[in-house]
Amino acid sequence: MKVIICGAGQVGYGIAERLAAERNDVSVIDVSPELIRNVRDTLDAKGFVGHGAHPDVLARAGAQDADMIVAVTLYDEVNMVACQVAHSLFNVPTKIARIRAQSYLLSQYQDLFAREQLPIDVIISPEREVAELVLRRIALPGATDVVRFAEGAIAMVAIECLDECPVISTPLAQLSELFPDLLSTVVAISREGRLFVPRSSDQLIAGDLAYVVTAKDHVRRTLGLFGHDKQEATRIVIAGGGNIGLYVAQTLEKRQSRTRVKIIESGRERAIAIADELRRTVVLHGSALDQKLLTEADIDDTDLMVALTNDDQVNVLSSIMAKRLGCRSNLTLINNPSFQDFTHTLGIDAQVNPRSVTISRVLQHVRRGRIRAVHSIGRGAAEIIEAEALETSPLVGTALRDLNLPSGIRIGAIYRNGAVLRPSGEFQIKAKDRVVMFALAEGVKSVEQMFRVSLEFF
């Protein structure tokens, strides 16, 4: 696939890195010579210095032959115009744009992005995507990652196995026997930096991060089984009143009347503006690193600190400080990948990576076959994929134990006619089933092949 990426910042570079590693033909455009030099020096991708919305720059990048354009510059208007030019002049089939300003995303203006207006096929709003992820984490304390599939009927939760975890040292096959009515499957384990698909005889040990695919109604029971039966936070302090912090606070006000929220915002004008938009949330002006201000926010009586500023260092330090001052847990937004390896040892309970969220949304449209959703985990080491089985799929009509799936692939759940089904050895997938599965990076191409329409079908 030939892909043009406009914007070589953290998000654009991350997308280019992932797509180039999968041997796609990738071209990256940015106005910064330094960023383009970095792309050329470190990735198997072409780099072009220039404005991503200018026709001559797009032409040099090969837009006339491109299958997709992904516009993720810092400016919404540049992203929108780049998609328009790619459509009008070069007839690029798939156009993806990052839109950050929430006013563009209001429901009454959705016709703006229709094909006859601004022809954008996929709109990515990192702020909204991250905010929804934060809200899912708040709703399910104990899960370090939560993603929904099949219209929300299926969830993938990542659960840390602590020393007191009840299922430690129990073979996974035995867990299925002990809880036959639990619609949950451990599809992968991350242990000491290694991500792998477990065998039925494998056991979980303390320190493992288990990736579990489960029915929506069984998520809390699954968390409890792993020893994470914490109550949902009702006293929350949010550091950062930007688009993400404001969205989270507004949604919590709508959804949960018992939740008390306070926001700490460093910009005075922004603090005043969001205070006018919120009804019950207390807005405090100042730095989240100010111990006196944290004390004023009653951090010692807070269930959860959510750090959502634009500064990774402020997020990490304020989360650590809040914990030291008595806050029960924290959730931290971290953009820089180099920070993510050591934060847990500093006392960060859970983190959110906006780049990973954006890359997952793009991959959904890069993947071939009937791929409905993709979630990238472990910095691209693996993916959780939801795909629709076609009549010609080799998965259909054969017992799972006889499929001989490639190593590194594990089916977690099947969604059929509104019901969630747990896979077993004798289970047979039917056409139109939606299959949620785990695949290590080297197995993703095999998954694509399983869900593609073969030529014989025609």
Side-chain angles (χ1 to χ4, degrees):
M1 178 177 285
K2 181 172 180 54
V3 182
I4 295 176
I5 299 171
C6 298
Q10 284 194 354
V11 172
Y13 182 90
I15 295 170
E17 180 180 39
R18 185 65 180 278
L19 297 184
E22 296 180 4
R23 298 184 180 179
N24 291 286
D25 183 353
V26 179
S27 298
V28 183
I29 300 170
D30 200 284
V31 294
S32 168
E34 182 179 350
L35 291 178
I36 291 301
R37 190 180 308 114
N38 183 48
V39 168
R40 291 170 177 166
D41 291 345
T42 59
L43 302 180
D44 183 15
K46 296 181 282 292
F48 299 87
V49 178
H51 196 290
H54 288 179
D56 59 328
V57 178
L58 287 169
R60 282 195 291 122
Q64 60 275 9
D65 301 316
D67 300 295
M68 176 184 295
I69 182 170
V70 183
V72 288
T73 75
L74 294 176
Y75 306 101
D76 292 350
E77 291 73 21
V78 172
N79 297 337
M80 290 189 285
V81 173
C83 289
Q84 177 71 72
V85 173
H87 172 80
S88 300
L89 297 184
F90 302 105
N91 198 29
V92 176
T94 304
K95 299 158 287 291
I96 300 175
R98 178 170 70 171
I99 307 293
R100 302 179 68 186
Q102 299 301 295
S103 60
Y104 284 124
L105 305 176
L106 294 175
S107 57
Q108 60 264 41
Y109 304 135
Q110 286 305 295
D111 289 345
L112 174 64
F113 301 108
R115 188 173 182 84
E116 62 275 10
Q117 307 289 348
L118 274 172
I120 300 175
D121 301 297
V122 182
I123 295 171
I124 298 176
S125 172
E127 284 85 355
R128 186 166 290 186
E129 298 271 358
V130 170
E132 290 292 348
L133 178 56
V134 168
L135 289 164
R136 291 197 296 270
R137 297 277 190 88
I138 291 173
L140 294 171
T144 63
D145 198 1
V146 184
V147 189
R148 303 285 188 187
F149 297 97
E151 277 82 52
I154 296 173
M156 187 287 295
V157 289
I159 312 171
E160 185 179 3
C161 298
L162 304 176
D163 291 327
E164 61 273 17
C165 177
V167 298
I168 281 179
S169 303
T170 304
L172 296 180
Q174 189 175 334
L175 287 178
S176 299
E177 295 170 3
L178 291 171
F179 306 97
D181 61 333
L182 183 64
L183 298 178
S184 297
T185 302
V186 178
V187 294
I189 297 173
S190 178
R191 178 179 296 165
E192 297 179 348
R194 185 172 73 94
L195 188 63
F196 63 96
V197 172
R199 296 165 298 183
S200 59
S201 58
D202 284 340
Q203 303 177 12
L204 294 165
I205 63 175
D208 282 354
L209 185 64
Y211 290 90
V212 185
V213 173
T214 178
K216 175 188 67 174
D217 297 336
H218 292 225
V219 173
R220 292 191 182 278
R221 185 182 170 195
T222 300
L223 287 169
L225 181 64
F226 278 77
H228 292 278
D229 51 357
K230 303 174 184 175
Q231 293 297 313
E232 190 170 335
T234 57
R235 291 162 296 184
I236 299 173
V237 171
I238 299 174
N243 287 336
I244 301 175
L246 176 60
Y247 185 94
V248 169
Q250 287 176 323
T251 306
L252 288 173
E253 284 189 345
K254 294 175 185 175
R255 293 182 184 174
Q256 306 173 34
S257 58
R258 295 188 307 113
T259 304
R260 291 181 292 167
V261 181
K262 297 175 183 177
I263 294 182
I264 298 175
E265 167 55 40
S266 60
R268 180 175 177 79
E269 291 185 5
R270 178 63 180 176
I272 294 172
I274 63 175
D276 290 340
E277 293 192 47
L278 295 165
R279 301 190 307 277
R280 301 192 316 273
T281 302
V282 175
V283 179
L284 303 173
H285 169 235
S287 170
L289 297 177
D290 185 338
Q291 185 169 330
K292 291 183 179 178
L293 190 60
L294 288 173
T295 302
E296 183 182 339
D298 298 320
I299 201 68
D300 61 329
D301 193 35
T302 296
D303 298 318
L304 178 66
M305 168 73 156
V306 185
L308 301 173
T309 77
N310 291 323
D311 189 319
D312 283 354
Q313 296 181 38
V314 171
N315 290 340
V316 171
L317 292 174
S318 63
S319 296
I320 295 170
M321 187 180 295
K323 200 90 174 284
R324 299 271 172 88
L325 292 173
C327 183
R328 284 127 183 95
S329 61
N330 54 42
L331 174 59
T332 310
L333 179 69
I334 300 177
N335 287 282
N336 191 334
S338 62
F339 283 8
Q340 294 167 13
D341 290 333
F342 61 83
T343 51
H344 190 69
T345 60
L346 296 175
I348 303 297
D349 298 314
Q351 55 184 267
V352 178
N353 179 2
R355 187 169 75 165
S356 176
V357 173
T358 305
I359 291 173
S360 294
R361 288 279 280 125
V362 172
L363 287 176
Q364 178 180 340
H365 301 278
V366 172
R367 295 282 169 256
R368 300 181 186 276
R370 289 290 182 90
I371 307 299
R372 286 179 168 266
V374 173
H375 179 67
S376 177
I377 60 177
R379 296 190 194 176
E383 295 175 13
I384 304 290
I385 300 171
E386 177 194 345
E388 181 181 343
L390 301 168
E391 292 180 17
T392 55
S393 171
L395 297 176
V396 172
T398 303
L400 294 186
R401 64 163 56 93
D402 298 326
L403 283 177
N404 294 320
L405 291 175
S407 60
I409 295 176
R410 168 67 61 82
I411 294 175
I414 294 90
Y415 185 67
R416 178 186 295 167
N417 298 327
V420 178
L421 308 174
R422 187 173 71 175
S424 60
E426 66 276 6
F427 188 91
Q428 293 186 13
I429 293 172
K430 296 181 179 180
K432 297 186 179 179
D433 282 354
R434 283 153 70 173
V435 183
V436 176
M437 60 202 311
F438 170 91
L440 291 172
E442 56 268 26
V444 169
K445 293 300 180 185
S446 296
V447 174
E448 289 181 315
Q449 284 298 121
M450 292 176 194
F451 294 96
R452 291 184 71 175
V453 178
S454 67
L455 292 177
E456 291 81 1
F457 186 68
F458 300 100

